[in-house]
Amino acid sequence: MSNLISIAMGFILILNAFRIRYVPDRVRIRRPFRLVSFWNREPFSAKGWKSKYYVDLDNNPELKRLYFINYLVTGALFIFSGLMGLAFGINVAYFMLFPTFVSVFLFLYVRQRVTGEIEAWKWVLFATLFFGVVIGGSMSYKKSKVEVLPEMLSIEGDYGRTICYQSIDSVMVVNELPTTKYCKVGYSLGGIKKGEFRLKDGNDAKFYLLGKDAPYLMHYTRHGLILVNCKTTEETNMLIEELSRRIENLQK
């Protein structure tokens, strides 16, 4: 669903880009960071809304060109993200952050060059948000791990869960993953795949892959198919040995 939303948003942004270029007098664009303008609306008329709270595109051809390019590029990036998601069967909820940050960065930088306005706090806000997302994602990845406990297999991190040994029907070690059709809830990026995916054969499977290298543990449980691995091949092999010993002891 997020792939289609990304594509739809892209087409809307591109449509607005051409409205800015060909009918700028009908486009209302608020000045960036003018949140106070929400409480200072002027009456709607031929001149009423063209106040200090809005961008005057008619009398500023350089700003008109800037907004046109920004909307056009941002729309194209959103469409590209959505198509990539559909092509590789992944959810782009996180990937959509990339075009958003790129477009905001380019817009703020070029607008400052065009208008000559230097507002450092905007750059501080942008940098804070950007690094906040990066650090948050990094910390989430570091907290992700798979651990063999006495009564269950513990999966920690995004889309983590616990798997009781009694609920496992069988476990297989495989070197190839089943082909996915699309992501239902989760994400797939750089070999890391987490969440629930629809497989090519029509069945659903839950993935918790921390690394892009085989082997993988394929669990057939009462709650469905679950595929797991660790960040490195060595860690995955250790996980396989520990889990095998734990299941053997429970069967005795």
Side-chain angles (χ1 to χ4, degrees):
M1 179 61 72
S2 63
N3 300 318
L4 298 178
I5 292 175
S6 179
I7 294 173
M9 289 176 62
F11 279 113
I12 292 173
L13 289 170
I14 290 177
L15 176 62
N16 282 327
F18 284 100
R19 288 181 66 234
I20 290 171
R21 181 170 184 177
Y22 295 108
V23 286
D25 57 315
R26 299 183 182 179
V27 181
R28 299 176 64 179
I29 300 179
R30 289 185 179 276
R31 294 181 182 275
F33 303 99
R34 293 276 182 164
L35 299 180
V36 69
S37 63
F38 283 101
W39 306 101
N40 293 275
R41 292 180 179 272
E42 295 185 9
F44 182 82
S45 64
K47 296 182 180 180
W49 61 266
K50 293 182 179 180
S51 67
K52 62 181 180 179
Y53 300 111
Y54 294 91
V55 178
D56 185 2
L57 298 176
D58 286 333
N59 298 318
N60 292 277
E62 291 186 343
L63 280 179
K64 174 183 172 182
R65 188 181 305 111
L66 168 62
Y67 276 93
F68 167 72
I69 294 174
N70 179 257
Y71 274 66
L72 187 65
V73 172
T74 305
L77 287 172
F78 270 91
I79 292 175
F80 175 76
S81 299
L83 293 176
M84 289 289 288
L86 291 175
F88 294 99
I90 63 175
N91 186 295
V92 297
Y94 292 90
F95 190 51
M96 284 168 61
L97 291 173
F98 173 73
T100 302
F101 279 119
V102 170
S103 62
V104 169
F105 174 81
L106 292 177
F107 173 78
L108 290 177
Y109 176 76
V110 179
R111 190 178 188 280
Q112 180 176 300
R113 295 292 299 270
V114 170
T115 62
E117 299 174 357
I118 301 176
E119 296 176 291
W121 70 270
K122 296 179 182 179
W123 292 99
V124 173
L125 175 63
F126 175 78
T128 301
L129 292 174
F130 179 77
F131 286 109
V133 171
V134 173
I135 294 173
S138 176
M139 293 299 293
S140 175
Y141 177 71
K142 289 181 179 180
K143 292 180 180 179
S144 301
K145 65 178 181 178
V146 183
E147 188 176 6
V148 177
L149 300 178
E151 301 295 332
M152 65 190 69
L153 183 67
S154 174
I155 301 175
E156 299 181 8
D158 295 340
Y159 303 99
R161 60 186 299 123
T162 57
I163 307 174
C164 295
Y165 299 130
Q166 290 82 358
S167 67
I168 299 176
D169 296 327
S170 62
V171 182
M172 296 177 59
V173 179
V174 297
N175 291 319
E176 293 185 3
L177 295 171
T179 304
T180 58
K181 191 175 182 180
Y182 62 87
C183 175
K184 297 181 67 177
V185 179
Y187 61 91
S188 177
L189 182 64
I192 299 173
K193 188 188 294 286
K194 294 183 180 181
E196 186 172 356
F197 290 74
R198 175 63 53 84
L199 301 180
K200 193 174 183 180
D201 60 9
N203 295 318
D204 293 337
K206 297 177 178 64
F207 287 78
Y208 194 84
L209 307 181
L210 300 180
K212 61 182 180 180
D213 297 324
Y216 311 97
L217 274 171
M218 182 181 291
H219 300 78
Y220 289 91
T221 75
R222 299 172 190 171
H223 308 290
L225 179 61
I226 303 175
L227 294 105
V228 177
N229 81 338
C230 298
K231 297 177 182 179
T232 65
T233 301
E234 292 75 15
E235 290 178 346
T236 303
N237 288 328
M238 291 176 61
L239 174 65
I240 293 171
E241 293 178 4
E242 292 180 17
L243 185 60
S244 298
R245 287 196 297 267
R246 180 64 59 182
I247 293 177
E248 288 178 2
N249 292 334
L250 291 175
Q251 292 175 346
K252 291 180 180 180

